[in-house]
Each structure stands twice: as C-alpha cells, then as structure tokens.
Amino acid sequence: MKELILIKNGEIALKGLNRSHFEEILVRNIKWRLRDLGKTTVKRAQSTIYIEPEDCDFYDFDEAIDRLQKIFGIVMISRALVLEKSMDAILEHIADYCADELQGAKTFKVVAKRSDKRFPLTSPEIAAEAGGAILRRFPRLKVDVRNPDVTIMVEIRDFGAYIHGGQLPGAGGMPVSSSGQALLLISGGIDSPVAAYMMAKRGLQLNAIHFVSPPYTSDRALEKVETLCEKLAPYTGRIKFYCVPFTEIQEALREHCPEELFTILMRRLMMKIATRIAENDEIEALVTGESLAQVASQTLQALHCTDTATDLVVLRPLIGMDKSEIIHISKEIGTFETSILPYEDCCTVFTPRHPRTKPKLKYVVKAEQDYDFGPLLDKAVAETTWKMIP
Ligand code: ATP
Ligand code: MG
C-alpha cells in the first residue's frame, strides 16, 4: 500500500509570479524539519506539495503530520492513499482505506476532483460511484452533501489517483525566511516567545539575543531561555542564539544614572547592542515582546525612547494585545509552562522604586551621554557568545 502526504499552501497561492520562489522556500523548510524521519521525495505541482516516503511501511506519518502542522505556509494537510488512475482501483480500496473515519460517522459525502481531464469519468460521476462503494460496505451510513460527519476526497491528479479521509489544518502564515530575517530580544518571560511565534508566522527567520547579568541572574535563568528557543524551533526553525554579558553595564547604570531612568536607559542600551549584533549578520529588524501600557517601560513615550536607540525597524507584534490573549497563544504553542518558571531576568534585577513612566527623550539622551557607555558596549559585544538551537 503506497501512501503520501498532500500539502496545500495558503497565502503563497496569492503571490502571482513570485509563487514559485515562496514554494521553494516552503519545500526547503519541510525537508529540513522532516529530515530525520526517513527518506522522502518532496515535489510540487498544481499548488500542492507531495511528500512521498520511500518506505511507507516504516514511515512515522503521525510524527511527520504533527511537525507539518507547525510549519508556516501550509493551510491543509492530508495523508492519502496513492492508486493508479483507474475507477476499479478506487472502488476496490476506498471503503477499506477510509474505514476508521467512516466507522464512527452517521453521514458522509464523497468529493471528487479531477484535475487530469483525460480521466474518463467526470467529478460528479466519480463521487457517485465511490459513494456507492462506501454504502455497499457500510450500509447504515447515509449520504449528506450539506453537513456530513465525514468528507472523503478522491483526487485525480497528474501523478496518480489519491484517496483521503479529510484534511487537517496547517499553521497558515508565510514560510519562515520568505520575509527575511530579524533579531528577537528574548527574555525568560511570557511575551517575547509569543512575539517570536507571531513574526515567524509572517515569514521571518529569527535569530535571538538574550542579556544576562551573572551573578545577579543564574545559569538556570539562561537555560530557561534556551529551553524556550527549543520549544519555539518547531515553528521558527533553527535559532541562532546570542548571549550578552550585561552585568557591568547594569552596574554602571546603577552608579552613574538617575534611578528613575534606569529601566529606560537599560532598554536603550539593549537596543544598541542588539543593533550591532543584528548588523553583523546583515539583519534589518528587531523584534520585541512589548505591548502598549503593559508596564512602565511600555508607554508611548518609553517606546519612543527605545525606538530612537536604533536605526533598525522595531517589530512589536504584541503591541495591541491583552495579557490574556498573549497567555492564550503561549499555552497553545507550549512555551507558557517554561515562561512561568521563577528565575530572575536581568530586567528585574535593579528595578527602580519609581520608574519614570513618561520619560522625555531629551533628558534620557542627556543622562545616557553623561556617562561614556561606549567602552562597556564594545566589551559586551566582544564578549557575546552564540550557539545554534537546536
Ligand atoms: P517578557 O514577558 O517577554 O519578558 P515583559 O512584559 O516582562 O516581557 P519587559 O521585561 O519590559 O516586558 O521586556 C520587554 C521586552 O524587552 C521583552 O519582551 C523582550 O523583547 C525584551 N527583553 C527584556 N528582557 C530581556 C533580556 N534579558 N534579554 C533580551 N531581551 C529582553
Ligand atoms: Mg520580561
């Protein structure tokens, strides 16, 4: 019995002349994510991608489909039986192959699609005959064309005839890396991993940067962020993860700058370091997990202060979301449990008692210039380490 996986891509289909380019990226992402599951041929035709395992009997279809459901750029996934293009073969196998789906159902319908117009029967004729074969095998079933419990598909395409018992939803969005690359500022919190998910969904490939302040922050806090990256990887693909030593900068801030501006200055210095790391990798955008008014450093005025610390585009996909909506996504994508582990982040180490919620840019810039952070910034960039996750 030969089976394969059929993939339908969504928004890519709207891309006109560029479509082929987007599909190539999607195929590359699919091959990479399934690479360790066994040999497959991945080909595309008629806005469908076909994944054909070399050895169907030993291929872990469930695991493959689970992974495919997390790959952006896919809207529908079906596991299908491959047959020669003959009505006899279809009628012989259809009821058996779809038995699991049909057994639990009361009503069904067959939808036939014939993109190979040389096939002698029309789509309605194929559907009627196939429906008849199913009724002979499951006589208590009824046909319901409007609202069936189960829809069985018969597709006559270029390479063969395919039967499947329905479609599973994909993750939607655009293939990762089709929109370019960005650098994510990732903390151990709930928000920034969700921001990563949302921007990967729009086709960005992500590097991540995390600031640590040992001994104020622990190894476990860093491991927690690495775990978050591992949990994001099924959606984002591999992540180049940078770790920046931030202790000396924070100590200098505490000593030389007005306490109420500590948070906003720290965030500006983070943006400056992130910008230098991004530019080294020829990356043109930063991503943060900021959401308007969530905390003191996320007022309009504070966001303006952080924006002006960089020339890069700053993407804040959570800007208009409530915390409850962010938590909902965080639970769906499986980062929530890790995010709520109680380890100190460098942001919480020297939190001022009364942070300025409406900082004026000119005072912030003045305070920043009153102390020469240049050498410390150079040192932090020089001592930054990176690794690939996973
Ligand atoms: P999160 O839940 O993502 O930690 P938050 O609501 O706690 O966000 P802040 O602590 O103000 O908000 O941080 C805002 C954003 O700044 C984060 O979403 C993240 O993008 C970035 N950020 C904060 N701390 C760090 C850090 N230690 N390393 C890298 N980026 C950070
Ligand atoms: Mg945080």
Side-chain angles (χ1 to χ4, degrees):
M1 188 167 83
K2 193 172 163 219
E3 288 183 279
L4 52 51
I5 300 173
L6 296 172
I7 301 280
K8 305 243 164 79
N9 45 39
E11 241 178 273
I12 298 179
L14 305 173
K15 294 291 167 196
L17 289 177
N18 279 334
R19 177 161 132 189
S20 181
H21 171 66
F22 285 92
E23 284 182 353
E24 273 164 32
I25 294 174
L26 180 56
V27 165
R28 199 175 67 208
N29 293 349
I30 289 173
K31 284 182 177 168
W32 172 258
R33 307 275 182 92
L34 303 183
R35 68 194 180 285
D36 57 331
L37 291 182
K39 268 210 163 150
T40 54
T41 310
V42 181
K43 59 186 180 195
R44 57 197 173 93
Q46 298 164 308
S47 57
T48 301
I49 293 170
Y50 300 72
I51 304 173
E52 298 178 33
E54 210 159 83
D55 190 347
C56 284
D57 294 336
F58 291 98
Y59 193 73
D60 190 344
F61 278 89
D62 292 338
E63 173 65 21
I65 287 171
D66 196 52
R67 292 188 193 182
L68 289 165
Q69 283 191 294
K70 299 186 173 84
I71 297 180
F72 295 122
I74 295 175
V75 289
M76 290 290 191
I77 304 163
S78 314
R79 174 177 178 170
L81 178 67
V82 186
L83 296 170
E84 60 182 279
K85 285 190 263 186
S86 98
M87 207 56 222
D88 286 344
I90 293 168
L91 297 180
E92 184 185 340
H93 290 102
I94 192 162
D96 270 346
Y97 186 68
C98 300
D100 281 352
E101 284 90 353
L102 292 167
Q103 239 133 30
K106 289 199 174 78
T107 58
F108 79 104
K109 77 170 170 182
V110 177
V111 174
K113 273 198 193 150
R114 182 186 61 143
S115 51
D116 176 1
K117 300 293 180 205
R118 290 166 309 178
F119 194 76
L121 278 70
T122 64
S123 298
E125 288 166 352
I126 299 168
E129 290 211 16
I134 290 173
L135 285 171
R136 284 194 288 283
R137 168 75 191 278
F138 297 99
R140 48 163 200 89
L141 278 178
K142 292 216 157 31
V143 174
D144 179 348
V145 289
R146 276 167 200 274
N147 192 20
D149 295 339
V150 175
T151 301
I152 305 295
M153 299 282 308
V154 179
E155 303 192 42
I156 314 291
R157 292 167 169 264
D158 283 354
F159 306 121
Y162 306 95
I163 294 173
H164 53 94
Q167 299 177 317
L168 294 164
M174 297 297 298
V176 162
S177 104
S178 66
S179 303
Q181 240 184 323
L183 179 63
L184 165 77
L185 283 86
I186 186 167
S187 68
I190 295 169
D191 304 329
S192 37
V194 173
Y197 168 84
M198 291 184 65
M199 292 325 301
K201 184 166 184 174
R202 295 313 303 160
L204 280 180
Q205 190 186 331
L206 297 172
N207 291 355
I209 186 168
H210 177 63
F211 296 82
V212 293
S213 291
Y216 306 102
T217 60
S218 64
D219 284 349
R220 292 176 69 190
L222 172 60
E223 282 159 23
K224 168 183 171 180
V225 179
E226 292 178 5
T227 305
L228 285 170
C229 289
E230 278 164 24
K231 296 202 163 181
L232 285 168
Y235 298 97
T236 60
R238 298 186 92 187
I239 295 175
K240 186 175 184 184
F241 175 76
Y242 288 96
C243 181
V244 187
F246 207 48
T247 316
E248 286 180 63
I249 290 176
Q250 288 198 300
E251 286 174 343
L253 272 172
R254 184 178 52 179
E255 249 163 71
H256 302 287
C257 299
E259 185 188 324
E260 71 276 13
L261 295 183
F262 179 92
T263 307
I264 195 70
L265 286 169
M266 180 190 67
R267 302 206 43 75
R268 281 177 59 89
L269 296 174
M270 280 185 173
M271 299 302 263
K272 289 187 176 193
I273 292 173
T275 302
R276 285 172 58 174
I277 302 281
E279 283 173 348
N280 257 335
D281 285 337
E282 294 179 18
I283 287 178
E284 292 157 37
L286 302 178
V287 177
T288 78
E290 289 160 313
S291 162
L292 187 63
Q294 198 187 79
V295 288
S297 63
Q298 296 173 20
T299 61
L300 269 190
Q301 294 77 6
L303 293 174
H304 179 53
C305 289
T306 45
D307 261 344
T308 50
T310 179
D311 288 334
L312 302 181
V313 181
V314 182
L315 299 170
R316 301 182 172 97
L318 312 187
I319 197 72
M321 289 171 72
D322 287 353
K323 195 75 186 187
S324 59
E325 296 170 300
I326 299 169
I327 288 175
H328 180 76
I329 298 179
S330 150
K331 288 182 176 166
E332 297 247 293
I333 63 176
T335 51
F336 183 75
E337 293 303 323
T338 308
S339 289
I340 58 174
L341 294 173
Y343 305 125
E344 287 284 321
D345 182 68
C346 71
C347 282
T348 48
V349 174
F350 305 112
T351 315
R353 280 159 295 180
H354 305 290
R356 187 65 59 81
T357 53
K358 295 186 177 174
K360 283 234 165 52
L361 182 61
K362 66 177 179 190
Y363 298 122
V364 172
V365 170
K366 167 133 193 345
E368 193 176 282
Q369 284 166 350
D370 282 346
Y371 179 80
D372 181 10
F373 283 98
L376 285 180
L377 290 180
D378 290 343
K379 188 163 178 245
V381 171
E383 290 174 356
T384 294
T385 56
W386 66 270
K387 64 170 167 180
M388 294 304 290
I389 299 178

